[in-house]
Amino acid sequence: MRNGPVTVFDKEGNLIRGQIDMPPQYLRGWVEFYKLKFKVTPDVLIPRPETELLVDEVLNWVSANPKIKYPLKDHRDQVKDHYSIIDVGTGSGCIATSIAKNLKRRCHIMAIDISKAALDIAQENLKKHRVSEVFLLECDLLSTLSPLTKSGSNRPDIIVTNLPYIPNHRIDYLDPSVRDFEPRIALQGGPDGFDLYRRLFSEMKEKNLIPKLFIGEIDETQEEIALQEAKKYFPEAKSEVKKDLAKKPRIILIRFTF
Ligand SMILES: C[S@@+](CC[C@H](N)C(=O)[O-])C[C@H]1O[C@@H](n2cnc3c(N)ncnc32)[C@H](O)[C@@H]1O
């Protein structure tokens, strides 16, 4: 750590010891995301405002697709009574919780993280917001999930994710408040930042866990690589990159029409 300790008091007068560069959100212990308050500690990434766009996209897609059909064995279609969503790399649980609190329809959300410490914080946030639709799973991407069953009943409707996407060589140059305090496992994305996305695409393919819609947050420099990799893994799908409010490329949407 670069700086020495400082002493800070919270609103209730409790003493918080921290470092000079420690983000105020960690000192305070909470952050607002999608108009909800989330507990944060240095075990989880501090949710960023641009990530709210992912939640918007999920809610918009559900409004535009009020009926989800899936084929029965006898080739008739059945209308599903809930949406099934997977949030990969849930961290504080901000995306999954915000979806559950704002979706006006029944849903099952599986929120995955490789970090047990992060899942403990997510659990507290789910409890605080009285969310019962979200199930937490400690898992490396989709590795322990079963492949798509013959009936297709475990096909997710949406996979939403904000995986780590910072190229490793940029980590040392990040603002110290990020570099020295936010969990490395939430930041590092391999040599070009896209390693985890490639692995996730590969597992989706391998297990045939292809949703109707994939939504992933990317770095502003990754528009081209994101579109290229999406095309490579899913040539029949339609992909687009959307910009954030600062007009920077921020999310990749992959629509599967099959
Ligand atoms: C950029 S943070 C996003 C956290 C939260 N979803 C958000 O948007 O604020 C990425 C998260 O992915 C998790 N993660 C990293 N590698 C993973 C892996 N191989 N499998 C599952 N989760 C992983 C990290 O622990 C971290 O919580």
Side-chain angles (χ1 to χ4, degrees), residues 185-200:
I185 198 159
L187 301 172
Q188 271 180 187
D192 64 359
F194 221 71
D195 268 12
L196 281 143
Y197 276 97
R198 272 189 212 96
R199 271 186 54 213
L200 178 60

Side-chain angles (χ1 to χ4, degrees), residues 74-247:
D74 62 7
H75 303 297
R76 281 180 305 142
D77 282 341
Q78 164 117 349
V79 176
K80 271 174 81 168
D81 64 352
H82 67 271
Y83 290 82
S84 78
I85 298 169
I86 304 180
D87 170 21
V88 187
T90 197
S92 61
C94 59
I95 297 176
T97 306
S98 304
I99 295 170
K101 293 296 282 183
N102 287 281
L103 204 69
K104 302 281 179 265
R105 314 289 296 265
R106 281 189 64 203
C107 62
H108 292 169
I109 306 177
M110 186 185 288
I112 291 171
D113 209 288
I114 198 167
S115 158
K116 165 82 173 66
L119 288 171
D120 288 344
I121 302 297
Q123 181 65 59
E124 284 191 48
N125 282 320
L126 292 177
K127 200 168 159 204
K128 174 179 157 68
H129 293 294
R130 298 168 192 268
V131 165
S132 57
E133 301 86 343
V134 179
F135 306 88
L136 298 175
L137 180 67
E138 188 180 341
C139 185
D140 180 359
L141 300 178
L142 308 179
S143 58
T144 60
L145 300 196
S146 309
L148 191 77
T149 56
K150 261 196 178 158
S151 70
S153 57
N154 62 334
R155 180 177 181 188
D157 297 309
I158 300 175
I159 294 182
V160 58
T161 184
N162 176 17
L163 278 171
Y165 54 65
I166 300 181
N168 291 353
H169 62 90
R170 271 178 39 200
I171 300 277
D172 281 348
Y173 303 97
L174 294 174
D175 189 276
S177 65
V178 177
R179 183 194 62 208
D180 297 342
F181 294 96
E182 300 212 62
R184 282 287 157 110
I185 198 159
L187 301 172
Q188 271 180 187
D192 64 359
F194 221 71
D195 268 12
L196 281 143
Y197 276 97
R198 272 189 212 96
R199 271 186 54 213
L200 178 60
F201 289 169
S202 161
E203 287 185 8
M204 284 163 59
K205 247 189 122 148
E206 209 176 284
K207 291 174 184 274
N208 201 17
L209 287 174
I210 305 294
K212 305 262 169 52
L213 178 66
F214 176 91
I215 309 167
E217 182 168 325
I218 58 169
D219 184 72
E220 63 189 76
T221 61
Q222 289 169 337
E223 177 166 13
E224 208 176 308
I225 191 166
L227 290 169
Q228 256 173 27
E229 295 293 332
K231 183 96 191 140
K232 189 164 112 200
Y233 284 89
F234 309 114
E236 301 102 69
K238 288 199 175 101
S239 306
E240 68 172 308
V241 165
K242 286 197 176 174
K243 295 193 164 67
D244 59 21
L245 296 177
K247 308 232 178 315

